[in-house]
Amino acid sequence: MSHGEAVQLFWKKEEIYDRNAQTVTLTGGARAVRGDVTVDADTLIGYLRKKAPAPGQPAPPPQPTDAKGNNNGDPMGGSLELYRIEARGNVHIYNQTDQGWGDHALYDMDQAVMVMTGKHLKLTTPQDVLTARDVMEYHSKTRMSVGRGDATVTTNDGKQVKADVLVSFSKPNDAPASGTPQAASQTRPAGGGDNPLGGGSSKLDRAYGWGHVVLRTQTQTGTGDRGVYVFDTQIARLIGHVHVTQGQNQNNGSQAIVNMKTGIATMLPGTESPIQGLVVPNEANSSQAPK
């Protein structure tokens, strides 16, 4: 009854079939398990459809009906597959390394896209924490996470990237070192197949921010209209109405390159406005002052 890999369903109270809507609703605390990913929620709704025959195979014969046209066999009317899962209330999605929380989630198995909404949206990995106010998405095929509304990525060492809309991309799971062949038994589809958490934990590669972008380290804050941050190099670029502040020192301009590892920010000239700076004398000798 699943599209691709089998889904195991568990529930505590009712199992409600709706033949017209072609759904099955599990209540009272329900769980769906697919591979190494588990989805827990107060209520789970599975969306079903007729299962297409395998290539080259004939379509299955129609199910027998009684005099009133009712199907007396499968209560859902034949061979079906599960192609979408909706979770409502206290949603918790997790695998061995990553976890996500929200009030509502919708997972499309065809597109391998999970969308979560509600309060206190959060996705955690061993390296980072992603939060958002309005919507959180995960696109497994492209390894893309999207946070909408005051979205924030916080790394384990305290660095933070924040924006109205934040789009981050992860590296492929178990990527081999350069020049090292990968064993066939370890090969995975790009993006971890159609797993809602990507088939395992992976490190973030880069993040793009739009609207009220804020970069924070322990000593420095940079803001701009948009920006990009590369996690391996810990270097970010801010564009549009840029302000870089360290202590009481401040530099303003159109663009800036910020090294979040060293704390050094380099202001770049642009067409919007000249570079402007405020340097406080007792902090002017700091080796990490913006330049």
Side-chain angles (χ1 to χ4, degrees):
M1 195 176 70
S2 65
H3 178 59
E5 190 175 356
V7 178
Q8 295 179 292
L9 299 174
F10 307 89
W11 62 98
K12 295 180 180 179
K13 290 188 178 179
E14 293 183 305
E15 177 187 24
I16 304 169
Y17 285 96
D18 187 328
R19 182 176 176 182
N20 293 327
Q22 290 196 320
T23 61
V24 56
T25 301
L26 310 176
T27 66
R31 170 173 293 177
V33 180
R34 192 181 197 214
D36 69 340
V37 175
T38 299
V39 180
D40 289 338
D42 295 340
T43 300
L44 288 178
I45 302 174
Y47 292 81
L48 308 170
R49 67 185 174 197
K50 294 284 186 180
K51 190 173 184 179
Q57 298 295 321
Q63 295 290 311
T65 59
D66 59 19
K68 296 182 180 180
N70 296 321
N71 190 314
N72 294 320
D74 188 333
M76 297 299 291
S79 180
L80 299 168
E81 65 181 4
L82 181 66
Y83 70 96
R84 183 179 298 151
I85 295 178
E86 181 179 358
R88 298 180 179 178
N90 297 302
V91 178
H92 183 201
I93 303 175
Y94 55 95
N95 60 20
Q96 294 180 352
T97 56
D98 303 343
Q99 300 189 74
W101 291 269
D103 294 329
H104 180 270
L106 190 64
Y107 177 51
D108 188 306
M109 295 183 179
D110 291 337
Q111 302 299 321
V113 174
M114 178 184 68
V115 178
M116 290 197 301
T117 57
K119 298 180 180 179
H120 311 298
L121 297 172
K122 183 165 70 170
L123 177 65
T124 66
T125 75
Q127 298 85 23
D128 317 279
V129 177
L130 172 64
T131 60
R133 184 190 62 223
D134 301 328
V135 180
M136 188 175 292
E137 308 169 13
Y138 186 77
H139 301 249
S140 180
K141 292 180 180 179
T142 56
R143 304 183 300 275
M144 179 177 72
S145 302
V146 181
R148 302 182 188 275
D150 198 23
T152 304
V153 170
T154 304
T155 63
N156 285 345
D157 57 359
K159 298 180 177 66
Q160 192 175 83
V161 183
K162 187 175 182 179
D164 293 343
V165 177
L166 196 60
V167 178
S168 59
F169 291 88
S170 300
K171 294 181 179 181
N173 296 323
D174 298 335
S178 177
T180 303
Q182 188 174 14
S185 62
Q186 296 176 333
T187 301
R188 298 179 182 178
D194 51 4
N195 186 318
L197 287 177
S201 180
S202 56
K203 293 182 63 176
L204 289 177
D205 179 35
R206 61 197 186 280
Y208 298 89
W210 290 270
H212 302 94
V213 177
V214 180
L215 305 176
R216 285 197 178 95
T217 68
Q218 295 180 350
T219 60
Q220 198 172 70
T221 300
T223 63
D225 295 336
R226 59 190 188 277
V228 58
Y229 176 61
V230 179
F231 286 83
D232 275 352
T233 62
Q234 300 185 40
I235 293 177
R237 180 165 188 161
L238 293 170
I239 301 175
H241 303 94
V242 174
H243 305 277
V244 178
T245 304
Q246 182 173 313
Q248 299 182 65
N249 298 324
Q250 180 173 311
N251 281 267
N252 307 323
S254 299
Q255 301 183 54
I257 301 293
V258 182
N259 189 321
M260 297 179 72
K261 183 176 183 179
T262 64
I264 296 175
T266 303
M267 306 300 296
L268 303 176
T271 58
E272 296 178 4
S273 60
I275 298 172
Q276 299 177 345
L278 171 66
V279 179
V280 178
N282 62 0
E283 298 190 13
N285 294 328
S286 172
S287 62
Q288 295 182 334
K291 61 181 181 179

PDB file of all heavy atoms in Angstrom, residues 127-164:
ATOM      1  N   GLN A 127      25.178  18.930  13.627  1.00  0.00           N
ATOM      2  CA  GLN A 127      26.010  20.115  13.435  1.00  0.00           C
ATOM      3  C   GLN A 127      25.253  21.434  13.589  1.00  0.00           C
ATOM      4  O   GLN A 127      25.843  22.444  13.959  1.00  0.00           O
ATOM      5  CB  GLN A 127      26.656  20.101  12.043  1.00  0.00           C
ATOM      6  CG  GLN A 127      27.579  18.939  11.773  1.00  0.00           C
ATOM      7  CD  GLN A 127      26.835  17.707  11.293  1.00  0.00           C
ATOM      8  OE1 GLN A 127      25.737  17.798  10.763  1.00  0.00           O
ATOM      9  NE2 GLN A 127      27.440  16.549  11.463  1.00  0.00           N
ATOM     10  N   ASP A 128      23.934  21.447  13.300  1.00  0.00           N
ATOM     11  CA  ASP A 128      23.217  22.711  13.195  1.00  0.00           C
ATOM     12  C   ASP A 128      21.786  22.582  13.722  1.00  0.00           C
ATOM     13  O   ASP A 128      21.249  21.493  13.856  1.00  0.00           O
ATOM     14  CB  ASP A 128      23.152  23.192  11.730  1.00  0.00           C
ATOM     15  CG  ASP A 128      24.461  23.030  10.992  1.00  0.00           C
ATOM     16  OD1 ASP A 128      25.337  23.886  11.159  1.00  0.00           O
ATOM     17  OD2 ASP A 128      24.591  22.026  10.269  1.00  0.00           O
ATOM     18  N   VAL A 129      21.199  23.766  13.970  1.00  0.00           N
ATOM     19  CA  VAL A 129      19.786  23.847  14.331  1.00  0.00           C
ATOM     20  C   VAL A 129      19.136  24.869  13.414  1.00  0.00           C
ATOM     21  O   VAL A 129      19.610  26.007  13.294  1.00  0.00           O
ATOM     22  CB  VAL A 129      19.593  24.267  15.806  1.00  0.00           C
ATOM     23  CG1 VAL A 129      18.103  24.409  16.118  1.00  0.00           C
ATOM     24  CG2 VAL A 129      20.231  23.261  16.748  1.00  0.00           C
ATOM     25  N   LEU A 130      18.046  24.462  12.732  1.00  0.00           N
ATOM     26  CA  LEU A 130      17.292  25.353  11.852  1.00  0.00           C
ATOM     27  C   LEU A 130      15.925  25.601  12.472  1.00  0.00           C
ATOM     28  O   LEU A 130      15.211  24.654  12.808  1.00  0.00           O
ATOM     29  CB  LEU A 130      17.137  24.728  10.459  1.00  0.00           C
ATOM     30  CG  LEU A 130      16.210  25.447   9.475  1.00  0.00           C
ATOM     31  CD1 LEU A 130      16.746  26.834   9.142  1.00  0.00           C
ATOM     32  CD2 LEU A 130      16.038  24.630   8.193  1.00  0.00           C
ATOM     33  N   THR A 131      15.564  26.881  12.628  1.00  0.00           N
ATOM     34  CA  THR A 131      14.249  27.235  13.146  1.00  0.00           C
ATOM     35  C   THR A 131      13.582  28.214  12.190  1.00  0.00           C
ATOM     36  O   THR A 131      14.249  28.889  11.401  1.00  0.00           O
ATOM     37  CB  THR A 131      14.344  27.882  14.543  1.00  0.00           C
ATOM     38  OG1 THR A 131      15.134  29.087  14.467  1.00  0.00           O
ATOM     39  CG2 THR A 131      14.989  26.929  15.540  1.00  0.00           C
ATOM     40  N   ALA A 132      12.250  28.298  12.266  1.00  0.00           N
ATOM     41  CA  ALA A 132      11.502  29.229  11.435  1.00  0.00           C
ATOM     42  C   ALA A 132      10.171  29.519  12.107  1.00  0.00           C
ATOM     43  O   ALA A 132       9.676  28.720  12.908  1.00  0.00           O
ATOM     44  CB  ALA A 132      11.279  28.670  10.031  1.00  0.00           C
ATOM     45  N   ARG A 133       9.583  30.659  11.752  1.00  0.00           N
ATOM     46  CA  ARG A 133       8.321  31.070  12.365  1.00  0.00           C
ATOM     47  C   ARG A 133       7.093  30.549  11.613  1.00  0.00           C
ATOM     48  O   ARG A 133       6.103  30.145  12.221  1.00  0.00           O
ATOM     49  CB  ARG A 133       8.260  32.603  12.415  1.00  0.00           C
ATOM     50  CG  ARG A 133       7.016  33.168  13.117  1.00  0.00           C
ATOM     51  CD  ARG A 133       6.923  34.660  12.906  1.00  0.00           C
ATOM     52  NE  ARG A 133       6.773  34.982  11.488  1.00  0.00           N
ATOM     53  CZ  ARG A 133       7.424  35.975  10.870  1.00  0.00           C
ATOM     54  NH1 ARG A 133       8.288  36.730  11.540  1.00  0.00           N
ATOM     55  NH2 ARG A 133       7.221  36.195   9.582  1.00  0.00           N
ATOM     56  N   ASP A 134       7.146  30.546  10.263  1.00  0.00           N
ATOM     57  CA  ASP A 134       5.945  30.283   9.472  1.00  0.00           C
ATOM     58  C   ASP A 134       5.928  28.900   8.823  1.00  0.00           C
ATOM     59  O   ASP A 134       4.987  28.137   9.006  1.00  0.00           O
ATOM     60  CB  ASP A 134       5.798  31.352   8.376  1.00  0.00           C
ATOM     61  CG  ASP A 134       5.708  32.752   8.946  1.00  0.00           C
ATOM     62  OD1 ASP A 134       5.165  32.904  10.056  1.00  0.00           O
ATOM     63  OD2 ASP A 134       6.190  33.695   8.289  1.00  0.00           O
ATOM     64  N   VAL A 135       6.952  28.594   8.052  1.00  0.00           N
ATOM     65  CA  VAL A 135       6.981  27.350   7.281  1.00  0.00           C
ATOM     66  C   VAL A 135       8.402  26.807   7.265  1.00  0.00           C
ATOM     67  O   VAL A 135       9.365  27.571   7.192  1.00  0.00           O
ATOM     68  CB  VAL A 135       6.505  27.567   5.818  1.00  0.00           C
ATOM     69  CG1 VAL A 135       6.557  26.256   5.034  1.00  0.00           C
ATOM     70  CG2 VAL A 135       5.105  28.139   5.779  1.00  0.00           C
ATOM     71  N   MET A 136       8.508  25.478   7.311  1.00  0.00           N
ATOM     72  CA  MET A 136       9.790  24.823   7.136  1.00  0.00           C
ATOM     73  C   MET A 136       9.611  23.705   6.113  1.00  0.00           C
ATOM     74  O   MET A 136       8.660  22.924   6.195  1.00  0.00           O
ATOM     75  CB  MET A 136      10.297  24.256   8.458  1.00  0.00           C
ATOM     76  CG  MET A 136      11.714  23.725   8.415  1.00  0.00           C
ATOM     77  SD  MET A 136      12.272  23.225  10.062  1.00  0.00           S
ATOM     78  CE  MET A 136      12.362  24.821  10.872  1.00  0.00           C
ATOM     79  N   GLU A 137      10.514  23.655   5.137  1.00  0.00           N
ATOM     80  CA  GLU A 137      10.413  22.662   4.069  1.00  0.00           C
ATOM     81  C   GLU A 137      11.712  21.868   3.982  1.00  0.00           C
ATOM     82  O   GLU A 137      12.777  22.386   4.283  1.00  0.00           O
ATOM     83  CB  GLU A 137      10.171  23.335   2.710  1.00  0.00           C
ATOM     84  CG  GLU A 137       9.007  24.299   2.679  1.00  0.00           C
ATOM     85  CD  GLU A 137       9.000  25.124   1.405  1.00  0.00           C
ATOM     86  OE1 GLU A 137       9.727  24.788   0.448  1.00  0.00           O
ATOM     87  OE2 GLU A 137       8.265  26.137   1.360  1.00  0.00           O
ATOM     88  N   TYR A 138      11.572  20.611   3.539  1.00  0.00           N
ATOM     89  CA  TYR A 138      12.758  19.842   3.199  1.00  0.00           C
ATOM     90  C   TYR A 138      12.506  19.141   1.875  1.00  0.00           C
ATOM     91  O   TYR A 138      11.550  18.384   1.735  1.00  0.00           O
ATOM     92  CB  TYR A 138      13.131  18.809   4.269  1.00  0.00           C
ATOM     93  CG  TYR A 138      14.448  18.142   3.950  1.00  0.00           C
ATOM     94  CD1 TYR A 138      15.648  18.817   4.185  1.00  0.00           C
ATOM     95  CD2 TYR A 138      14.509  16.897   3.351  1.00  0.00           C
ATOM     96  CE1 TYR A 138      16.863  18.244   3.854  1.00  0.00           C
ATOM     97  CE2 TYR A 138      15.720  16.314   3.007  1.00  0.00           C
ATOM     98  CZ  TYR A 138      16.887  16.996   3.267  1.00  0.00           C
ATOM     99  OH  TYR A 138      18.099  16.438   2.916  1.00  0.00           O
ATOM    100  N   HIS A 139      13.387  19.415   0.881  1.00  0.00           N
ATOM    101  CA  HIS A 139      13.303  18.828  -0.447  1.00  0.00           C
ATOM    102  C   HIS A 139      14.421  17.790  -0.554  1.00  0.00           C
ATOM    103  O   HIS A 139      15.584  18.132  -0.769  1.00  0.00           O
ATOM    104  CB  HIS A 139      13.453  19.910  -1.522  1.00  0.00           C
ATOM    105  CG  HIS A 139      12.406  20.987  -1.444  1.00  0.00           C
ATOM    106  ND1 HIS A 139      11.424  21.141  -2.387  1.00  0.00           N
ATOM    107  CD2 HIS A 139      12.180  21.956  -0.514  1.00  0.00           C
ATOM    108  CE1 HIS A 139      10.647  22.155  -2.066  1.00  0.00           C
ATOM    109  NE2 HIS A 139      11.078  22.666  -0.929  1.00  0.00           N
ATOM    110  N   SER A 140      14.068  16.536  -0.400  1.00  0.00           N
ATOM    111  CA  SER A 140      15.066  15.482  -0.281  1.00  0.00           C
ATOM    112  C   SER A 140      15.880  15.301  -1.555  1.00  0.00           C
ATOM    113  O   SER A 140      17.087  15.065  -1.502  1.00  0.00           O
ATOM    114  CB  SER A 140      14.384  14.161   0.093  1.00  0.00           C
ATOM    115  OG  SER A 140      15.321  13.133   0.217  1.00  0.00           O
ATOM    116  N   LYS A 141      15.248  15.382  -2.719  1.00  0.00           N
ATOM    117  CA  LYS A 141      15.953  15.118  -3.971  1.00  0.00           C
ATOM    118  C   LYS A 141      17.057  16.126  -4.234  1.00  0.00           C
ATOM    119  O   LYS A 141      18.074  15.808  -4.852  1.00  0.00           O
ATOM    120  CB  LYS A 141      14.961  15.102  -5.133  1.00  0.00           C
ATOM    121  CG  LYS A 141      14.005  13.923  -5.093  1.00  0.00           C
ATOM    122  CD  LYS A 141      13.045  13.943  -6.268  1.00  0.00           C
ATOM    123  CE  LYS A 141      12.093  12.750  -6.222  1.00  0.00           C
ATOM    124  NZ  LYS A 141      11.121  12.764  -7.342  1.00  0.00           N
ATOM    125  N   THR A 142      16.874  17.368  -3.791  1.00  0.00           N
ATOM    126  CA  THR A 142      17.883  18.407  -3.996  1.00  0.00           C
ATOM    127  C   THR A 142      18.642  18.740  -2.716  1.00  0.00           C
ATOM    128  O   THR A 142      19.469  19.653  -2.712  1.00  0.00           O
ATOM    129  CB  THR A 142      17.233  19.695  -4.541  1.00  0.00           C
ATOM    130  OG1 THR A 142      16.199  20.121  -3.643  1.00  0.00           O
ATOM    131  CG2 THR A 142      16.634  19.461  -5.918  1.00  0.00           C
ATOM    132  N   ARG A 143      18.343  18.021  -1.614  1.00  0.00           N
ATOM    133  CA  ARG A 143      19.003  18.253  -0.317  1.00  0.00           C
ATOM    134  C   ARG A 143      18.853  19.708   0.111  1.00  0.00           C
ATOM    135  O   ARG A 143      19.783  20.322   0.623  1.00  0.00           O
ATOM    136  CB  ARG A 143      20.483  17.848  -0.379  1.00  0.00           C
ATOM    137  CG  ARG A 143      20.731  16.429  -0.818  1.00  0.00           C
ATOM    138  CD  ARG A 143      22.205  16.062  -0.783  1.00  0.00           C
ATOM    139  NE  ARG A 143      23.004  16.919  -1.661  1.00  0.00           N
ATOM    140  CZ  ARG A 143      23.166  16.689  -2.952  1.00  0.00           C
ATOM    141  NH1 ARG A 143      22.595  15.648  -3.525  1.00  0.00           N
ATOM    142  NH2 ARG A 143      23.907  17.496  -3.690  1.00  0.00           N
ATOM    143  N   MET A 144      17.665  20.270  -0.109  1.00  0.00           N
ATOM    144  CA  MET A 144      17.425  21.679   0.180  1.00  0.00           C
ATOM    145  C   MET A 144      16.456  21.840   1.348  1.00  0.00           C
ATOM    146  O   MET A 144      15.384  21.243   1.363  1.00  0.00           O
ATOM    147  CB  MET A 144      16.850  22.379  -1.065  1.00  0.00           C
ATOM    148  CG  MET A 144      16.535  23.854  -0.854  1.00  0.00           C
ATOM    149  SD  MET A 144      15.939  24.644  -2.382  1.00  0.00           S
ATOM    150  CE  MET A 144      14.293  23.924  -2.500  1.00  0.00           C
ATOM    151  N   SER A 145      16.850  22.652   2.330  1.00  0.00           N
ATOM    152  CA  SER A 145      15.979  23.018   3.445  1.00  0.00           C
ATOM    153  C   SER A 145      15.590  24.481   3.300  1.00  0.00           C
ATOM    154  O   SER A 145      16.425  25.321   2.957  1.00  0.00           O
ATOM    155  CB  SER A 145      16.694  22.813   4.787  1.00  0.00           C
ATOM    156  OG  SER A 145      17.115  21.482   4.943  1.00  0.00           O
ATOM    157  N   VAL A 146      14.323  24.792   3.582  1.00  0.00           N
ATOM    158  CA  VAL A 146      13.827  26.162   3.442  1.00  0.00           C
ATOM    159  C   VAL A 146      13.127  26.555   4.736  1.00  0.00           C
ATOM    160  O   VAL A 146      12.248  25.833   5.217  1.00  0.00           O
ATOM    161  CB  VAL A 146      12.849  26.303   2.257  1.00  0.00           C
ATOM    162  CG1 VAL A 146      12.379  27.752   2.120  1.00  0.00           C
ATOM    163  CG2 VAL A 146      13.492  25.816   0.964  1.00  0.00           C
ATOM    164  N   GLY A 147      13.509  27.695   5.287  1.00  0.00           N
ATOM    165  CA  GLY A 147      12.812  28.269   6.425  1.00  0.00           C
ATOM    166  C   GLY A 147      12.220  29.608   6.026  1.00  0.00           C
ATOM    167  O   GLY A 147      12.901  30.438   5.415  1.00  0.00           O
ATOM    168  N   ARG A 148      10.955  29.823   6.347  1.00  0.00           N
ATOM    169  CA  ARG A 148      10.271  31.061   5.968  1.00  0.00           C
ATOM    170  C   ARG A 148       9.741  31.749   7.221  1.00  0.00           C
ATOM    171  O   ARG A 148       9.044  31.140   8.029  1.00  0.00           O
ATOM    172  CB  ARG A 148       9.108  30.770   5.006  1.00  0.00           C
ATOM    173  CG  ARG A 148       9.544  30.044   3.730  1.00  0.00           C
ATOM    174  CD  ARG A 148       8.378  29.812   2.780  1.00  0.00           C
ATOM    175  NE  ARG A 148       8.757  28.968   1.656  1.00  0.00           N
ATOM    176  CZ  ARG A 148       9.335  29.412   0.542  1.00  0.00           C
ATOM    177  NH1 ARG A 148       9.580  30.705   0.411  1.00  0.00           N
ATOM    178  NH2 ARG A 148       9.648  28.583  -0.433  1.00  0.00           N
ATOM    179  N   GLY A 149      10.103  33.027   7.351  1.00  0.00           N
ATOM    180  CA  GLY A 149       9.660  33.799   8.497  1.00  0.00           C
ATOM    181  C   GLY A 149      10.640  33.721   9.649  1.00  0.00           C
ATOM    182  O   GLY A 149      10.614  32.753  10.406  1.00  0.00           O
ATOM    183  N   ASP A 150      11.503  34.735   9.763  1.00  0.00           N
ATOM    184  CA  ASP A 150      12.464  34.789  10.875  1.00  0.00           C
ATOM    185  C   ASP A 150      13.238  33.477  10.989  1.00  0.00           C
ATOM    186  O   ASP A 150      13.375  32.895  12.068  1.00  0.00           O
ATOM    187  CB  ASP A 150      11.730  35.097  12.175  1.00  0.00           C
ATOM    188  CG  ASP A 150      12.669  35.608  13.268  1.00  0.00           C
ATOM    189  OD1 ASP A 150      13.743  36.120  12.922  1.00  0.00           O
ATOM    190  OD2 ASP A 150      12.316  35.492  14.457  1.00  0.00           O
ATOM    191  N   ALA A 151      13.749  33.006   9.861  1.00  0.00           N
ATOM    192  CA  ALA A 151      14.447  31.713   9.815  1.00  0.00           C
ATOM    193  C   ALA A 151      15.883  31.875  10.298  1.00  0.00           C
ATOM    194  O   ALA A 151      16.544  32.871   9.990  1.00  0.00           O
ATOM    195  CB  ALA A 151      14.425  31.146   8.405  1.00  0.00           C
ATOM    196  N   THR A 152      16.380  30.867  11.022  1.00  0.00           N
ATOM    197  CA  THR A 152      17.712  30.943  11.621  1.00  0.00           C
ATOM    198  C   THR A 152      18.409  29.600  11.545  1.00  0.00           C
ATOM    199  O   THR A 152      17.806  28.561  11.826  1.00  0.00           O
ATOM    200  CB  THR A 152      17.624  31.375  13.101  1.00  0.00           C
ATOM    201  OG1 THR A 152      16.919  32.610  13.201  1.00  0.00           O
ATOM    202  CG2 THR A 152      19.004  31.542  13.700  1.00  0.00           C
ATOM    203  N   VAL A 153      19.696  29.623  11.157  1.00  0.00           N
ATOM    204  CA  VAL A 153      20.570  28.466  11.286  1.00  0.00           C
ATOM    205  C   VAL A 153      21.625  28.810  12.330  1.00  0.00           C
ATOM    206  O   VAL A 153      22.308  29.827  12.216  1.00  0.00           O
ATOM    207  CB  VAL A 153      21.257  28.096   9.956  1.00  0.00           C
ATOM    208  CG1 VAL A 153      22.338  27.050  10.191  1.00  0.00           C
ATOM    209  CG2 VAL A 153      20.237  27.552   8.965  1.00  0.00           C
ATOM    210  N   THR A 154      21.754  27.959  13.351  1.00  0.00           N
ATOM    211  CA  THR A 154      22.746  28.152  14.403  1.00  0.00           C
ATOM    212  C   THR A 154      23.664  26.942  14.428  1.00  0.00           C
ATOM    213  O   THR A 154      23.197  25.806  14.541  1.00  0.00           O
ATOM    214  CB  THR A 154      22.075  28.327  15.774  1.00  0.00           C
ATOM    215  OG1 THR A 154      21.144  29.411  15.717  1.00  0.00           O
ATOM    216  CG2 THR A 154      23.120  28.625  16.842  1.00  0.00           C
ATOM    217  N   THR A 155      24.975  27.177  14.315  1.00  0.00           N
ATOM    218  CA  THR A 155      25.943  26.088  14.325  1.00  0.00           C
ATOM    219  C   THR A 155      26.327  25.737  15.759  1.00  0.00           C
ATOM    220  O   THR A 155      26.059  26.496  16.698  1.00  0.00           O
ATOM    221  CB  THR A 155      27.201  26.467  13.535  1.00  0.00           C
ATOM    222  OG1 THR A 155      27.837  27.584  14.178  1.00  0.00           O
ATOM    223  CG2 THR A 155      26.845  26.868  12.100  1.00  0.00           C
ATOM    224  N   ASN A 156      26.972  24.600  15.917  1.00  0.00           N
ATOM    225  CA  ASN A 156      27.356  24.151  17.255  1.00  0.00           C
ATOM    226  C   ASN A 156      28.338  25.091  17.937  1.00  0.00           C
ATOM    227  O   ASN A 156      28.399  25.147  19.166  1.00  0.00           O
ATOM    228  CB  ASN A 156      27.967  22.749  17.188  1.00  0.00           C
ATOM    229  CG  ASN A 156      26.909  21.672  16.973  1.00  0.00           C
ATOM    230  OD1 ASN A 156      25.726  21.929  17.138  1.00  0.00           O
ATOM    231  ND2 ASN A 156      27.348  20.485  16.604  1.00  0.00           N
ATOM    232  N   ASP A 157      29.130  25.823  17.140  1.00  0.00           N
ATOM    233  CA  ASP A 157      30.096  26.749  17.749  1.00  0.00           C
ATOM    234  C   ASP A 157      29.531  28.153  17.913  1.00  0.00           C
ATOM    235  O   ASP A 157      30.283  29.100  18.148  1.00  0.00           O
ATOM    236  CB  ASP A 157      31.390  26.792  16.937  1.00  0.00           C
ATOM    237  CG  ASP A 157      31.159  27.184  15.485  1.00  0.00           C
ATOM    238  OD1 ASP A 157      29.992  27.410  15.107  1.00  0.00           O
ATOM    239  OD2 ASP A 157      32.148  27.256  14.729  1.00  0.00           O
ATOM    240  N   GLY A 158      28.209  28.309  17.789  1.00  0.00           N
ATOM    241  CA  GLY A 158      27.567  29.572  18.129  1.00  0.00           C
ATOM    242  C   GLY A 158      27.411  30.560  17.004  1.00  0.00           C
ATOM    243  O   GLY A 158      26.857  31.644  17.216  1.00  0.00           O
ATOM    244  N   LYS A 159      27.866  30.237  15.795  1.00  0.00           N
ATOM    245  CA  LYS A 159      27.674  31.148  14.659  1.00  0.00           C
ATOM    246  C   LYS A 159      26.226  31.044  14.190  1.00  0.00           C
ATOM    247  O   LYS A 159      25.599  29.989  14.262  1.00  0.00           O
ATOM    248  CB  LYS A 159      28.644  30.824  13.522  1.00  0.00           C
ATOM    249  CG  LYS A 159      30.106  30.993  13.928  1.00  0.00           C
ATOM    250  CD  LYS A 159      31.031  30.654  12.773  1.00  0.00           C
ATOM    251  CE  LYS A 159      32.487  30.886  13.154  1.00  0.00           C
ATOM    252  NZ  LYS A 159      32.936  29.960  14.213  1.00  0.00           N
ATOM    253  N   GLN A 160      25.712  32.179  13.682  1.00  0.00           N
ATOM    254  CA  GLN A 160      24.289  32.234  13.365  1.00  0.00           C
ATOM    255  C   GLN A 160      24.048  33.004  12.077  1.00  0.00           C
ATOM    256  O   GLN A 160      24.658  34.046  11.834  1.00  0.00           O
ATOM    257  CB  GLN A 160      23.536  32.894  14.516  1.00  0.00           C
ATOM    258  CG  GLN A 160      22.030  32.765  14.465  1.00  0.00           C
ATOM    259  CD  GLN A 160      21.382  33.352  15.702  1.00  0.00           C
ATOM    260  OE1 GLN A 160      21.168  34.554  15.797  1.00  0.00           O
ATOM    261  NE2 GLN A 160      21.063  32.497  16.673  1.00  0.00           N
ATOM    262  N   VAL A 161      23.151  32.445  11.236  1.00  0.00           N
ATOM    263  CA  VAL A 161      22.701  33.097  10.015  1.00  0.00           C
ATOM    264  C   VAL A 161      21.190  33.210  10.096  1.00  0.00           C
ATOM    265  O   VAL A 161      20.497  32.222  10.344  1.00  0.00           O
ATOM    266  CB  VAL A 161      23.104  32.309   8.756  1.00  0.00           C
ATOM    267  CG1 VAL A 161      22.678  33.049   7.493  1.00  0.00           C
ATOM    268  CG2 VAL A 161      24.600  32.046   8.732  1.00  0.00           C
ATOM    269  N   LYS A 162      20.683  34.424   9.848  1.00  0.00           N
ATOM    270  CA  LYS A 162      19.260  34.674  10.037  1.00  0.00           C
ATOM    271  C   LYS A 162      18.730  35.494   8.871  1.00  0.00           C
ATOM    272  O   LYS A 162      19.428  36.354   8.335  1.00  0.00           O
ATOM    273  CB  LYS A 162      19.052  35.434  11.358  1.00  0.00           C
ATOM    274  CG  LYS A 162      17.625  35.626  11.792  1.00  0.00           C
ATOM    275  CD  LYS A 162      17.602  36.273  13.176  1.00  0.00           C
ATOM    276  CE  LYS A 162      16.183  36.455  13.682  1.00  0.00           C
ATOM    277  NZ  LYS A 162      16.173  37.068  15.025  1.00  0.00           N
ATOM    278  N   ALA A 163      17.468  35.224   8.440  1.00  0.00           N
ATOM    279  CA  ALA A 163      16.877  35.970   7.330  1.00  0.00           C
ATOM    280  C   ALA A 163      15.374  35.741   7.323  1.00  0.00           C
ATOM    281  O   ALA A 163      14.852  34.824   7.970  1.00  0.00           O
ATOM    282  CB  ALA A 163      17.481  35.534   5.996  1.00  0.00           C
ATOM    283  N   ASP A 164      14.659  36.586   6.547  1.00  0.00           N
ATOM    284  CA  ASP A 164      13.219  36.369   6.377  1.00  0.00           C
ATOM    285  C   ASP A 164      12.974  35.026   5.694  1.00  0.00           C
ATOM    286  O   ASP A 164      12.079  34.274   6.067  1.00  0.00           O
ATOM    287  CB  ASP A 164      12.606  37.494   5.535  1.00  0.00           C
ATOM    288  CG  ASP A 164      12.642  38.835   6.253  1.00  0.00           C
ATOM    289  OD1 ASP A 164      12.824  38.852   7.485  1.00  0.00           O
ATOM    290  OD2 ASP A 164      12.491  39.870   5.580  1.00  0.00           O
TER     291      ASP A 164
END
